Amino acid sequence: MAEEVRHPFLHGLSKHRGAPPTVVVIFGASGDLTARKLIPAIYNLAHDGLLPADFHLIGFGRKAIPDAEFQQIAAAAIKEFSRREPSPEVWARLAERTLYVSGGYDEKAAFDRLGARIAGLEKDSGQPLQSLFYVSTPPSVFAPILQNLGASGLAARYAGQLNQSKVIIEKPFGKDLASAQALNRELTKVFAEAQVYRIDHYLGKETVQDLLVQRFANSIFEPLWNRNFIDHVQITVAEQVGVEARAGYYEQSGCLRDMIQNHTMQLLALTAMEPPVSMDAESVRDEKVKVLKAIQPLRLDGADCDVARAQYAEGVIGGKPVKGYLQELDVSPTSATETFAALRLSINNWRWQGVPFYLRSGKHLARRVSEIAVRFKRAPGSLFADSDRSILAANTLAFQIQPDEGLSLVLNAKIPGLETRTQPVKMNFKYATTFGSNTPEAYERLVLDAMIGDGTLFIRGDETERSWQLCSPVLAHWAAQGRTGLDSYASGAWGPKSAEALLAANGHSWREP
Ligand code: BG6
């Protein structure tokens, strides 16, 4: 008997993680993110049978192109960027459900055409379709898109029901506190908070989710997770790439806006928050907001300064000489944009008082590596008086976010032999060794979660505002200073001297990840 042909979108679907019939609309269909991440993510969800049986994708953009051309663009993106080897059978099914609507983002008639197309799909399928709008455009058109989603009635489809319209907003979510508040106001004129999914792709990374599992599914960490046992925490998000072809965006952004305000703050919030009462979206986000609220305002100059910023100079990466930031294409020769930022944060609550949290991120650093390193207090060394006290290492638990995903713990062990001598050793858990290396991309998880209506791994409005509240004064101070106080570092190094000084003031130093 012939093997039953299962619906390619359905096999493997867990009944608890099933999305209703859905149309995903991508605004910014010709953008880089759409090609590199969004279309491949949707393809991989199809490949793994995680899309609803009745699924449609509509690209929306200014350029007038027929459906067939958008299908070809999507096919090329999948071929180049898909995590899995594309299967002609899966793509054929997805391709016939991939459409395109052209129009201006400020053109109400274009949104009416989009609405008519969705209504047509719904009529053909004979059942209601949830609309998930993915806003992946430059932020200058966020507001007209939102207004037109409201005016055309698309935002209000199936309001209050499980399959109500939803909107994913890409970063940058504002450029300071005032613009983030303004964007939140635009959003809430049209959508209820439960319909809004502010994305931070770091939350979709497997290892970032694993941080929550490690903290709350094991009983050995939580009793130690406080000021009595932890000396300090270091969060590093280092990139080896430079600004590449993105100077147009990056010159307006810089590292604090691009990485610190969102990605590293999120890593801090997940590391430092209290255990939530459940893993639902509101409980987790309540705890993140609470811990962000406990962070003290940063001191911006003087001997106690909590911030450092720098720009990469020329240097060597991967054995090759590379340009300094000011020599990069489309960068102003007098640019004060920081390509590296580091912060020293104090969390003034019961759990963390007196435990510094250090954050750093930068481009053109020695290696691409992201990690959260939790440094425990040293054990009293007197029992091993024969050994040199200084070589007793502080225990460090490090969550390796990427690459080489895993978890390591530095312990002191006895060196075999007749004397009692100690040496730091590392216990290592590697994802790839235990689970294989083909883990889902962050965008796969996040697009699926939004389709299902699970906002746990998305950022709530008050959360983003709180994070901007901490970062905005730093940005204003740096803007007023211009290049004064802007440090530099050789490309390929681990950052500037000023970042070392932030830790040295407390007798700490950055660990080499
Ligand atoms: C993006 C930033 O949010 O994150 C980029 O805009 C950065 O500048 C990227 O390169 C890093 O993401 P990942 O997943 O490669 O660590």
Side-chain angles (χ1 to χ4, degrees), residues 100-372:
Y100 187 82
V101 173
S102 70
Y105 296 120
D106 53 0
E107 192 194 334
K108 157 88 169 32
F111 285 73
D112 291 338
R113 285 200 299 279
L114 173 64
R117 203 97 205 241
I118 294 174
L121 293 174
E122 202 161 51
K123 191 157 169 268
D124 291 347
S125 78
Q127 56 182 336
L129 283 179
Q130 157 177 273
S131 311
L132 173 60
F133 300 105
Y134 199 124
V135 183
S136 173
T137 62
S140 54
V141 292
F142 284 180
I145 291 173
L146 295 172
Q147 284 153 13
N148 277 322
L149 285 174
S152 60
L154 285 166
R157 298 179 85 242
Y158 307 113
Q161 298 177 39
L162 280 180
N163 63 349
Q164 64 186 344
S165 295
K166 298 174 176 66
V167 63
I168 301 182
I169 300 274
E170 255 304 330
K171 67 181 281 250
F173 195 91
K175 59 183 174 54
D176 53 20
L177 177 60
S179 53
Q181 286 170 329
L183 183 51
N184 272 336
R185 281 195 298 274
E186 286 296 334
L187 271 165
T188 48
K189 275 185 213 160
V190 179
F191 291 99
E193 180 65 33
Q195 294 174 275
V196 179
Y197 294 77
R198 294 173 197 77
I199 206 162
D200 181 319
H201 77 281
Y202 266 61
L203 294 181
K205 289 184 189 278
E206 278 292 336
T207 34
V208 176
Q209 296 164 54
D210 186 52
L211 171 62
L212 294 178
V213 175
Q214 295 293 345
R215 273 196 69 188
F216 303 126
N218 295 301
S219 60
I220 58 172
F221 299 129
E222 213 41 35
L224 307 180
W225 216 250
N226 58 51
R227 65 181 190 285
N228 297 324
F229 299 97
I230 293 179
D231 187 61
H232 70 275
V233 176
Q234 300 185 10
I235 300 180
T236 297
V237 178
E239 294 189 280
Q240 207 180 36
V241 293
V243 65
E244 299 181 299
R246 295 169 73 221
Y249 155 75
Y250 201 80
E251 275 281 88
Q252 307 303 316
S253 164
C255 182
L256 195 80
R257 289 190 176 96
D258 190 45
M259 303 294 283
I260 301 278
Q261 182 275 337
N262 36 55
H263 306 324
T264 60
M265 282 287 184
Q266 284 298 314
L267 297 182
L268 175 144
L270 294 176
T271 308
M273 72 181 189
E274 294 300 312
V277 290
S278 86
M279 284 307 292
D280 69 51
E282 293 324 312
S283 305
V284 170
R285 298 187 297 185
D286 284 347
E287 295 307 335
K288 285 199 286 170
V289 172
K290 264 162 62 183
V291 77
L292 291 173
K293 278 188 180 159
I295 298 176
Q296 296 304 287
L298 291 149
R299 295 164 296 187
L300 301 178
D301 38 27
D304 288 341
C305 181
D306 291 317
V307 297
R309 64 175 171 141
Q311 234 175 32
Y312 60 78
E314 291 168 5
V316 177
I317 289 190
K320 293 200 182 107
V322 292
K323 288 181 192 163
Y325 182 69
L326 295 182
Q327 287 80 50
E328 298 275 19
L329 187 69
D330 296 330
V331 169
S332 153
T334 55
S335 171
T337 302
E338 80 286 356
T339 61
F340 176 100
L343 309 182
R344 178 177 57 209
L345 298 167
S346 315
I347 303 178
N348 195 13
N349 66 11
W350 191 264
R351 189 186 281 261
W352 294 118
Q353 177 129 59
V355 179
F357 279 69
Y358 303 110
L359 268 47
R360 67 174 164 171
S361 180
K363 294 204 184 277
H364 266 193
L365 296 180
R367 241 166 22 89
R368 174 179 183 254
V369 58
S370 298
E371 70 158 32
I372 301 166

Side-chain angles (χ1 to χ4, degrees), residues 6-30:
R6 287 186 296 179
H7 195 296
F9 292 166
L10 264 186
H11 67 83
L13 184 69
S14 142
K15 72 174 192 285
H16 301 295
R17 305 257 317 145
T22 298
V23 52
V24 170
V25 179
I26 301 179
F27 295 107
S30 57

